[in-house]
Amino acid sequence: MRRLLAGLAVGSLLVAASACGSSDSGSSDKSSSSGGTTTVKVGLIPIVDVAPLYLGQEKGIFAKHGLKLEVTTAQSGAAIVPGVVSGQFQFGFSNVTSLMIAQTNSVPVQAVVNGIASTGVQGKDFGAITVKKDSAIKSAKDLEGKTVANNALKNINETAVRESVRKAGGDPDKVKFVELPFDQMPAALDSGQVDAAMVVEPALATIKSQGGQEIASPFLDVAPNLTIAMYFTSTQYQQQNPDVVKKFQEATAESLAYADSHPDEARDIVTTYTKIPAAVLANVVLPKWPAEANRASIEALMKLGEEDGLFKSTPDLDKLLP
């Protein structure tokens, strides 16, 4: 198990810890309770996707459900999985491909509530393959022989880029993928360190502000209205703390609904946990935050993952999904 967890975290080390409603950044493996409020530790990626949790904390939604969030940020969902399974975090945010990979590696993870979905609109999604201004790369097919930055290798973004290349008539096996945090991608693309970058907001808006261009909306190439990520826990924590898990599910679902119906507030909260300038923030494309996961889209993603050889066996979605 230790080897499996270490493997999941290779190249995706946890970065700066930041408290969300708490100044305590200790690493206790248990949630704590005080005065009827349970503090839970959550591993998140500092991207627009997780705005509902920060917004829900600020609006008192989690407090209403008896929870207080203590957040640690990480580069990718693959980096968060080991932290949740080891008990460093009680909950985490991860793309569904990383969760499926973990499950097929016998890592005990359990999705508990929906996270985000694509906007479903080509050229107006919150994630895109981007290239530098005046790049000779005009379509995903042109990525053959080129270097593409991803926040983690062998995850949902790589699968999505590969599918965009296929649909454009190219060979995804001829694309070179390199690992880079989202917030480092704009500079790497601008300097020519990489030929293209698969980014999500707010890095996408930053690249556009530098004159960068979108060449594909890969999440849409996987499936319309793709469920991209979910919040999860370990099977052990779920079994031992079903009441806390239920509170987290309810508070998160309410926060998702609030963010989806208050886009301006969701956009503004992003400035509290990223360094995006206000001028760029106005151009950030928000994802969809539906209450329920789109299982058909996850099945499509699973088939592509199998085609790309990501899984040791076929993921059991009945056990993985809530």
Side-chain angles (χ1 to χ4, degrees):
M1 179 62 71
R2 289 177 181 172
R3 290 178 180 176
L4 286 172
L5 295 177
L8 284 168
V10 169
S12 302
L13 300 178
L14 291 176
V15 295
S18 61
C20 179
S22 172
S23 60
D24 176 14
S25 59
S27 59
S28 169
D29 63 356
K30 295 182 179 179
S31 55
S32 59
S33 298
S34 176
T37 299
T38 300
T39 297
V40 292
K41 297 177 180 178
V42 187
L44 300 178
I45 309 169
I47 50 181
V48 71
D49 309 32
V50 298
L53 258 66
Y54 287 90
L55 193 54
Q57 179 92 324
E58 182 183 82
K59 292 297 178 180
I61 295 173
F62 283 91
K64 182 179 71 175
H65 288 273
L67 296 178
K68 183 177 183 180
L69 306 184
E70 183 182 302
V71 172
T72 296
T73 58
Q75 178 175 322
S76 67
I80 293 171
V81 168
V84 171
V85 175
S86 68
Q88 181 183 357
F89 314 131
Q90 282 74 56
F91 300 97
F93 177 84
S94 176
N95 69 83
V96 291
T97 295
S98 289
L99 292 179
M100 288 189 286
I101 291 173
Q103 186 197 59
T104 61
N105 277 294
S106 300
V107 178
V109 293
Q110 174 66 59
V112 296
V113 64
N114 197 35
I116 57 159
S118 162
T119 65
V121 182
Q122 283 284 354
K124 295 182 180 180
D125 200 13
F126 76 102
I129 302 174
T130 57
V131 295
K132 187 177 180 179
K133 182 180 180 181
D134 299 327
S135 171
I137 300 172
K138 303 301 181 183
S139 74
K141 184 181 186 301
D142 297 334
L143 294 176
E144 290 183 347
K146 301 298 191 296
T147 300
V148 180
N150 265 343
N151 69 314
L153 301 181
K154 306 298 182 183
N155 78 344
I156 189 171
N157 291 329
E158 181 173 329
T159 293
V161 171
R162 290 175 64 87
E163 183 63 1
S164 288
V165 173
R166 286 190 196 97
K167 287 193 169 182
D171 182 353
D173 290 336
K174 294 181 179 179
V175 179
K176 179 182 179 182
F177 293 96
V178 296
E179 194 170 275
L180 203 64
F182 286 123
D183 61 0
Q184 293 181 22
M185 291 185 190
L189 190 63
D190 195 48
S191 67
Q193 181 182 339
V194 296
D195 299 305
M198 172 56 206
V199 294
V200 298
E201 297 288 13
L204 176 56
T206 300
I207 287 173
K208 288 180 179 178
S209 73
Q210 296 172 171
Q213 304 292 319
E214 292 185 38
I215 61 167
S217 299
F219 294 142
L220 275 73
D221 285 333
V222 173
N225 304 310
L226 175 66
T227 291
I228 295 163
M230 302 183 74
Y231 294 94
F232 71 102
T233 188
S234 67
T235 54
Q236 180 181 17
Y237 189 81
Q238 184 180 48
Q239 291 165 2
Q240 295 178 349
N241 302 274
D243 55 334
V244 178
V245 172
K246 184 178 180 181
K247 289 178 181 178
F248 183 82
Q249 289 174 319
E250 293 173 346
T252 299
E254 188 174 336
S255 298
L256 291 173
Y258 187 90
D260 220 30
S261 60
H262 296 80
D264 290 340
E265 291 183 48
R267 193 185 306 276
D268 289 344
I269 201 74
V270 176
T271 62
T272 67
Y273 62 93
T274 74
K275 297 179 180 179
I276 184 169
V280 178
L281 179 66
N283 297 315
V284 165
V285 176
L286 298 178
K288 295 296 184 182
W289 288 297
E292 301 293 334
N294 181 340
R295 176 153 178 155
S297 74
I298 296 175
E299 290 173 349
L301 188 64
M302 179 180 72
K303 290 178 181 178
L304 290 175
E306 289 183 308
E307 184 177 336
D308 291 336
L310 298 183
F311 312 128
K312 288 187 175 181
S313 59
T314 299
D316 188 339
L317 296 185
D318 290 334
K319 289 185 177 180
L320 179 63
L321 302 179

